[in-house]
Amino acid sequence: MKTRFQLLLAALFLLTGANVFAQAKYMHSHNDYANNTPFYKAFYNGFNSIEADIFLVNGTLLVSHSDKYLEPERTLKGMYLDPILYALRRDTTRRLCLLIDVKDDHVKTLPALVKALDHLKPLLLSKDNPQGRLKILISGNRPVPANYKNYPSILWFDDDLIYPHTQAEWDRVGQVSLDFEKWSKWKGTGTIPDADKQHLQKTVDSVHTNTGKLVRFWGAPDNMESWNTQIDFGADIIGTDRIEQLAGYLTKKAMTQPVTTSIPNKLLK
């Protein structure tokens, strides 16, 4: 005879499906600078992570996806660093990840970035400041893991599982970001093929088990069906260009991580 708890459990599954036990997700604003209100729209919609692509041009860090569209007034300082400093000073509970995608030579660009971050240093998450509320995550053109030690600990690194790591190198990794199309050609219409979903699930489980890192897939279809599918196979961070829609969707499902929680470098036990 089923217990009262078992009957309640079964009812929950019937009403909401297996996702009743899914983890709340972190929200990432992909290519944030391309939307009509860079930084502010994502920040005030509760996003935990915001992306800016950068080039170093005549000593200034400019924000753009391509060197064909560089504009001198679109600086990293003006579009992101200064607004972040102001916002985090006003809201002393808020935490944020700024994912910086380096589009040119990281050997020249990363030292310039470190210099540009100097006025934010009290806020920066690092080995020496574990309570820092701003994590700087380096993606795109970045050093090989063996060279992470050459950079200050205010810089964390995105990983794509291409290179082997020592434990010390894994300790500098903020998250794992993978190209969705290498796992599936599904376009977000209808149901994802079972084989693809199982492959994605196994990949996420393997990263969690072997590295403890959180996982984001870039290049995934950007619609409700895709977001729900990513939730089902266990992606930790959901990226989007549709800021308000994703925020509303996850809020409705009660699956949004609080803005006072930073994206951890390792899964929380």
Side-chain angles (χ1 to χ4, degrees), residues 150-205:
N150 298 331
Y151 295 89
S153 65
I154 60 169
L155 300 185
W156 303 88
F157 296 94
D158 201 10
D159 193 73
D160 52 14
L161 304 182
I162 290 177
Y163 297 103
H165 293 60
T166 65
Q167 186 55 56
E169 291 157 7
W170 274 121
D171 290 343
R172 296 294 302 275
V173 171
Q175 67 189 43
V176 170
S177 296
L178 303 172
D179 182 356
F180 183 87
E181 289 195 350
K182 290 185 177 180
W183 275 259
S184 176
K185 301 301 181 184
W186 179 62
K187 300 301 182 184
T189 302
T191 304
I192 190 171
D194 285 343
D196 290 5
K197 187 173 179 181
Q198 290 176 18
H199 192 191
L200 287 156
Q201 177 77 64
K202 288 179 180 178
T203 299
V204 172
D205 289 347

Side-chain angles (χ1 to χ4, degrees), residues 71-91:
E71 298 178 16
E73 67 274 13
R74 291 174 65 84
T75 67
L76 181 68
K77 183 178 188 296
M79 292 180 69
Y80 289 98
L81 301 186
D82 287 349
I84 287 172
L85 177 61
Y86 176 74
L88 294 186
R89 280 178 173 172
R90 286 197 58 174
D91 184 349

